[in-house]
Amino acid sequence: MAEARFWKKGKGTSVQCFLCPHHCTIQEGTSGRCRVRINTDGILIPTTYARVASLAMDPIEKKPLYHFYPGSRIFSVGSVGCNLGCYFCQNWRISQVSPLECSLQEVTPEEALRRTRAENAVGIAFTYNEPLIWWEYVYDTARVAHREGFKVVFVTNGFIESEPLREILPLTDAMNVDLKAMDDEFYQKYCQGRLQPVLDTITAIYEANVHLEITNLLLAGLNDSPTAVAQLVDWIYALDPDIPLHLSRAFPAHRCDLPPTPPPVMGRAWRQAREKLSYVYQGNISSDEASSTFCVACGGRVIERSGYTVSTVGLRGNICTSCGKVLKMVVM
Ligand code: SF4
Ligand code: SF4
Ligand SMILES: [Zn+2]
């Protein structure tokens, strides 16, 4: 297996990885915190290269991306491991395990593209676990995808160093970044990460002109207060009020036994966010209104969503048919 990028030799046979802000020092025979980058004989190896734990042809709305080729399907792949350890992780069965604890199938970049083409998908999404710790594979696959005219999408926690991010952005068409809370203590206590690198990633994506949507998992009593929602909304607003925000309902998972986020809490946060942001959605909850897209100028419904059924009812291209406003929407 080829060696990893973004590392250097340390003392003795140890190595240090610089892919994400953890900068793990890794002793021979062990892995970094993500569990997948392993020091083998003094060389850092990305052991999950082309090794896939989950794959599916998904509606693009499931990523979630609501403003990027709405109604299309995208070939979605994920592996194992994550560089964060959120105690509420909804995908912990693949994100919090090592490659030895999960059955993995080989899907080369060429095979991923063959399936994407065969299913007539708009492109390929790296999702389910944290894709940026899979850097070498996602880079190679994204290159093949772009060469053949397919779109490349990441659903990520955004906890990555600036250099690997800078290299992958020109091969990226859209990203959904999970912004868990505008609170560094929250990141440290509940996610084993830090806030600022995630904010830096979001800013870099935006400045690179890559389509960007943000997801916030609302956890009752942890990050759902009006103050917490205001901090999140204000930060996004300052970057661009037209960035779509997905407020996602949490369910008990992994080490978190909080009850599912109550619908009134979801509704309150949604209404609050809509006071400043142009496009706010509720996810993991049944609400046609909170999953539809409304024109930011005239308020008309332009895309109706019911589950994963998507109907474009008031758009011609990315223009509102009622008032002529050009909406932030990437379409065919
Ligand atoms: S990518 Fe993995 S090994 Fe590298 S610094 Fe991050 S957690 Fe550590
Ligand atoms: S960043 Fe995402 S995949 Fe990783 S532990 Fe947190 S919720 Fe799970
Ligand atoms: Zn309009």
Tab-separated table of all heavy atoms in Angstrom, residues 57 73-76 116 120-125 150-153:
chain	number	residue	atom	x	y	z
A	57	MET	N	-26.568	4.483	-3.567
A	57	MET	CA	-26.963	5.548	-4.474
A	57	MET	C	-28.017	6.361	-3.720
A	57	MET	O	-29.121	5.891	-3.483
A	57	MET	CB	-27.548	4.936	-5.756
A	57	MET	CG	-27.696	5.897	-6.881
A	57	MET	SD	-26.151	6.659	-7.420
A	57	MET	CE	-25.246	5.244	-8.002
A	73	ARG	N	-29.352	12.213	-7.943
A	73	ARG	CA	-28.844	11.110	-7.119
A	73	ARG	C	-27.329	11.119	-7.169
A	73	ARG	O	-26.727	11.491	-8.183
A	73	ARG	CB	-29.375	9.774	-7.630
A	73	ARG	CG	-30.907	9.674	-7.482
A	73	ARG	CD	-31.418	8.296	-7.822
A	73	ARG	NE	-30.713	7.705	-8.948
A	73	ARG	CZ	-30.435	6.411	-9.049
A	73	ARG	NH1	-30.796	5.574	-8.106
A	73	ARG	NH2	-29.813	5.940	-10.112
A	74	ILE	N	-26.730	10.694	-6.075
A	74	ILE	CA	-25.278	10.746	-5.999
A	74	ILE	C	-24.757	9.446	-5.411
A	74	ILE	O	-25.315	8.916	-4.439
A	74	ILE	CB	-24.822	11.993	-5.190
A	74	ILE	CG1	-23.309	12.211	-5.327
A	74	ILE	CG2	-25.261	11.954	-3.735
A	74	ILE	CD1	-22.897	13.655	-5.205
A	75	PHE	N	-23.692	8.935	-6.043
A	75	PHE	CA	-23.083	7.694	-5.547
A	75	PHE	C	-22.289	8.039	-4.289
A	75	PHE	O	-21.409	8.895	-4.312
A	75	PHE	CB	-22.175	7.096	-6.624
A	75	PHE	CG	-21.548	5.799	-6.216
A	75	PHE	CD1	-22.346	4.691	-5.951
A	75	PHE	CD2	-20.176	5.670	-6.095
A	75	PHE	CE1	-21.776	3.482	-5.570
A	75	PHE	CE2	-19.593	4.469	-5.713
A	75	PHE	CZ	-20.415	3.370	-5.446
A	76	SER	N	-22.628	7.366	-3.184
A	76	SER	CA	-22.085	7.762	-1.882
A	76	SER	C	-21.260	6.634	-1.291
A	76	SER	O	-21.715	5.487	-1.234
A	76	SER	CB	-23.248	8.091	-0.936
A	76	SER	OG	-24.051	9.108	-1.507
A	116	THR	N	-20.674	5.098	-10.587
A	116	THR	CA	-21.293	6.423	-10.686
A	116	THR	C	-21.877	6.622	-12.084
A	116	THR	O	-23.010	7.072	-12.257
A	116	THR	CB	-20.233	7.519	-10.401
A	116	THR	OG1	-19.657	7.268	-9.133
A	116	THR	CG2	-20.838	8.910	-10.431
A	120	ASN	N	-25.949	6.597	-13.603
A	120	ASN	CA	-26.360	7.918	-14.069
A	120	ASN	C	-26.446	8.939	-12.928
A	120	ASN	O	-27.349	9.773	-12.890
A	120	ASN	CB	-27.719	7.796	-14.763
A	120	ASN	CG	-27.822	8.773	-15.905
A	120	ASN	OD1	-26.811	9.392	-16.260
A	120	ASN	ND2	-29.006	8.937	-16.451
A	121	ALA	N	-25.509	8.840	-12.014
A	121	ALA	CA	-25.502	9.763	-10.877
A	121	ALA	C	-24.841	11.076	-11.269
A	121	ALA	O	-24.076	11.139	-12.230
A	121	ALA	CB	-24.742	9.131	-9.720
A	122	VAL	N	-25.143	12.105	-10.503
A	122	VAL	CA	-24.556	13.417	-10.805
A	122	VAL	C	-23.070	13.440	-10.434
A	122	VAL	O	-22.294	14.242	-10.968
A	122	VAL	CB	-25.356	14.528	-10.078
A	122	VAL	CG1	-25.138	14.478	-8.568
A	122	VAL	CG2	-25.016	15.911	-10.596
A	123	GLY	N	-22.695	12.564	-9.517
A	123	GLY	CA	-21.291	12.534	-9.085
A	123	GLY	C	-21.114	11.584	-7.930
A	123	GLY	O	-21.905	10.660	-7.732
A	124	ILE	N	-20.070	11.854	-7.169
A	124	ILE	CA	-19.727	10.957	-6.068
A	124	ILE	C	-19.612	11.762	-4.782
A	124	ILE	O	-19.066	12.867	-4.777
A	124	ILE	CB	-18.438	10.173	-6.399
A	124	ILE	CG1	-18.112	9.163	-5.317
A	124	ILE	CG2	-17.254	11.075	-6.644
A	124	ILE	CD1	-17.191	8.066	-5.801
A	125	ALA	N	-20.155	11.197	-3.698
A	125	ALA	CA	-20.086	11.856	-2.392
A	125	ALA	C	-19.281	10.996	-1.440
A	125	ALA	O	-19.470	9.772	-1.381
A	125	ALA	CB	-21.490	12.071	-1.831
A	150	PHE	N	-17.803	14.400	-13.591
A	150	PHE	CA	-18.724	14.169	-12.479
A	150	PHE	C	-18.433	15.132	-11.330
A	150	PHE	O	-17.301	15.601	-11.159
A	150	PHE	CB	-18.614	12.720	-11.989
A	150	PHE	CG	-19.159	11.729	-12.969
A	150	PHE	CD1	-18.316	10.971	-13.774
A	150	PHE	CD2	-20.530	11.563	-13.115
A	150	PHE	CE1	-18.817	10.071	-14.696
A	150	PHE	CE2	-21.052	10.658	-14.032
A	150	PHE	CZ	-20.191	9.913	-14.822
A	151	LYS	N	-19.465	15.384	-10.526
A	151	LYS	CA	-19.329	16.286	-9.382
A	151	LYS	C	-18.744	15.531	-8.190
A	151	LYS	O	-18.948	14.320	-8.037
A	151	LYS	CB	-20.688	16.876	-8.990
A	151	LYS	CG	-21.397	17.579	-10.132
A	151	LYS	CD	-20.577	18.708	-10.688
A	151	LYS	CE	-21.201	19.297	-11.935
A	151	LYS	NZ	-20.268	20.148	-12.690
A	152	VAL	N	-18.061	16.271	-7.341
A	152	VAL	CA	-17.431	15.693	-6.152
A	152	VAL	C	-17.937	16.434	-4.914
A	152	VAL	O	-17.886	17.663	-4.850
A	152	VAL	CB	-15.895	15.787	-6.248
A	152	VAL	CG1	-15.252	15.346	-4.937
A	152	VAL	CG2	-15.382	14.951	-7.410
A	153	VAL	N	-18.419	15.647	-3.958
A	153	VAL	CA	-19.068	16.204	-2.764
A	153	VAL	C	-18.448	15.593	-1.508
A	153	VAL	O	-18.134	14.396	-1.492
A	153	VAL	CB	-20.585	15.864	-2.821
A	153	VAL	CG1	-21.257	16.032	-1.476
A	153	VAL	CG2	-21.276	16.706	-3.891
